[in-house]
């Protein structure tokens, strides 16, 4: 039987497995696949409990959407869930090729637009030029501010981070193939190691991406083996997400500073990395290289896309001196899709090539 006009007809599939309906976006080139429908209920009294439940019981959803043949090893995703926080408009679980993340800035920038355009937040008052979207991420509540006109999104989105801080500076790490390397570690909703690519004999702007990936991954594994990550609020947040290689230009300048982030299982961020910009701003502020409300531009060496960031106020996170960081960037819609499963497909849950 033909489908009604305007309703897509699904190909033959296992009717016991609901189709996964998604909206695809990108922020500075980094993809975001947002699940609209088809994901079973994610159970748990808190967002972190929901993340644990999804990892244990619904990880096939992540694999089907992130892995080939429906995705690729650098795909990124978001599952929207209810939040237990009264001020949150929505909760979100972040998906990537290795599992789940505590924070994702490029996703927050995209979800700000999505939440407004898909009616997940109250319509802004007539004439309003910006709408507030409170997004509960596993790391905490993040406020996104969405430029709008006539109640619809348009233009850049900015967000205010959870408390960001420097965990360790000038840490000497033995990196196989590179010897002793000086590393900084900072938190921007997730923990990152920061290294000037020059210290590894590389140029973040001209070295092949594969070589940058290998070096960054070596740093990540070395730090994991030689340094214990801790977070004052929760052990669920106490893990190293990846390494960001920089051009070494940490002192304030009006010119953009370039970096590349390699996270999870050698996943390369196409954007400047929103939570990485947050952590890098916190690190530069801690070192006295930035003042409050001094805006810096951060460029992705992968695509040339740019985010801006600034520390807007000082706060505390446990015993750490921390800052709230504002990050701004532009997200775009790229399409929609319905993904199905056939019951005799041996690759139904996806695969990745190494």
């Amino acid at each position: 039987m033909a489908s009604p006009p305007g309703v897509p007809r699904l190909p033959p599939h296992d009717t016991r497995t609901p189709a996964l309906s998604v909206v695809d976006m990108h922020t500075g080139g980094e993809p975001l696949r947002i699940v609209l429908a088809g994901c079973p209920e994610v159970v748990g009294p808190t967002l972190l409990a929901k993340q644990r439940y999804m990892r244990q019981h619904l990880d096939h959803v992540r694999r089907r959407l992130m892995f080939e043949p429906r995705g690729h090893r650098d795909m990124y995703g978001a599952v929207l869930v209810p939040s237990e926080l009264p001020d949150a408009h929505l909760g979100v679980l972040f998906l990537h090729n290795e599992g789940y993340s505590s924070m994702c800035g490029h996703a927050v920038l995209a979800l700000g637009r999505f939440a407004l355009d898909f009616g997940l937040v109250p319509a802004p008052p007539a004439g309003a030029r910006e709408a507030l979207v409170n997004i509960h991420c596993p790391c905490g509540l993040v406020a996104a501010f969405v430029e709008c006109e006539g109640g619809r999104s348009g233009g850049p989105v900015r967000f205010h981070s959870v408390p960001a801080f420097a965990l360790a500076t000038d840490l000497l790490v033995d990196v196989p193939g590179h010897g002793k390397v000086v590393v900084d570690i900072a938190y921007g909703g997730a923990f990152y190691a920061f290294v000037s690519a020059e210290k590894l004999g590389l140029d973040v702007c001209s070295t092949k991406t594969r070589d940058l990936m290998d070096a960054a991954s070596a740093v990540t594994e070395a730090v994991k083996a030689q340094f214990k990550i801790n977070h004052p609020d929760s052990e669920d947040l106490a893990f190293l997400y990846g390494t960001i290689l920089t051009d070494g230009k940490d002192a304030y300048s009006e010119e953009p500073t370039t970096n590349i982030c390699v996270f999870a299982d050698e996943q390369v961020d196409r954007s400047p990395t929103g939570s990485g910009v947050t952590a890098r701003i916190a690190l530069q502020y801690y070192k006295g290289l930035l003042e409050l409300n001094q805006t810096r531009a951060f460029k992705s060496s992968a695509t040339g896309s740019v985010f801006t960031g600034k520390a807007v106020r000082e706060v505390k996170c446990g015993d750490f001196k921390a800052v709230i960081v504002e990050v701004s960037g532009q997200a775009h819609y790229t399409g929609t899709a319905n993904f199905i499963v056939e019951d005799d497909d041996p690759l139904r849950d996806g695969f990745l090539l190494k």
Side-chain angles (χ1 to χ4, degrees), residues 228-252:
K228 179 172 173 53
I229 300 288
N230 61 83
H231 190 284
D233 291 343
S234 173
E235 276 300 307
D236 286 294
L237 306 176
F239 64 95
L240 187 69
Y241 192 30
T243 291
I244 296 180
L245 303 180
T246 77
D247 59 8
K249 297 176 181 177
D250 292 326
Y252 176 74

Side-chain angles (χ1 to χ4, degrees), residues 136-310:
H136 185 189
C137 305
C139 64
L141 191 65
V142 177
F145 304 89
V146 185
E147 285 193 16
C148 60
E149 186 171 351
R152 295 188 64 83
S153 71
V157 177
R158 60 191 178 94
F159 70 78
H160 283 183
S161 72
V162 296
F165 57 89
L167 178 66
T169 57
D170 299 325
L171 183 69
L172 199 60
V173 178
D174 190 2
V175 181
H178 298 280
K180 301 289 186 181
V181 178
V182 176
V183 174
D184 294 326
I185 302 173
Y187 179 79
F191 284 102
Y192 296 95
F194 291 88
V195 185
S196 170
E198 186 179 26
K199 294 178 182 176
L200 303 170
L202 305 173
D203 186 325
V204 77
C205 297
S206 62
T207 298
K208 290 181 179 179
T209 301
R210 178 73 255 180
D211 294 334
L212 295 171
M213 287 171 57
D214 290 343
S217 297
V219 171
T220 296
E221 293 309 310
V223 172
K224 285 180 178 179
Q226 299 169 47
F227 184 80
K228 179 172 173 53
I229 300 288
N230 61 83
H231 190 284
D233 291 343
S234 173
E235 276 300 307
D236 286 294
L237 306 176
F239 64 95
L240 187 69
Y241 192 30
T243 291
I244 296 180
L245 303 180
T246 77
D247 59 8
K249 297 176 181 177
D250 292 326
Y252 176 74
S253 170
E254 293 184 358
E255 295 299 314
T257 174
T258 302
N259 56 227
I260 188 169
C261 176
V262 181
F263 64 99
D265 183 10
E266 294 190 329
Q267 191 160 339
V268 178
D269 198 330
R270 274 67 170 159
S271 80
T273 310
S275 55
V277 166
T278 302
R280 200 171 169 204
I281 287 279
L283 190 60
Q284 291 174 357
Y285 185 79
Y286 175 83
K287 291 185 173 184
L289 302 173
L290 274 182
E291 299 176 3
L292 286 179
N293 293 307
Q294 196 169 35
T295 300
R296 285 213 73 182
F298 297 82
K299 186 164 85 170
S300 162
S301 76
T303 62
S305 59
V306 175
F307 290 170
T308 60
K310 61 182 178 180

Side-chain angles (χ1 to χ4, degrees), residues 19-32:
L20 287 163
S21 298
V22 303
V23 170
D24 278 2
M25 302 182 73
H26 82 89
T27 312
E30 179 69 359
L32 182 68

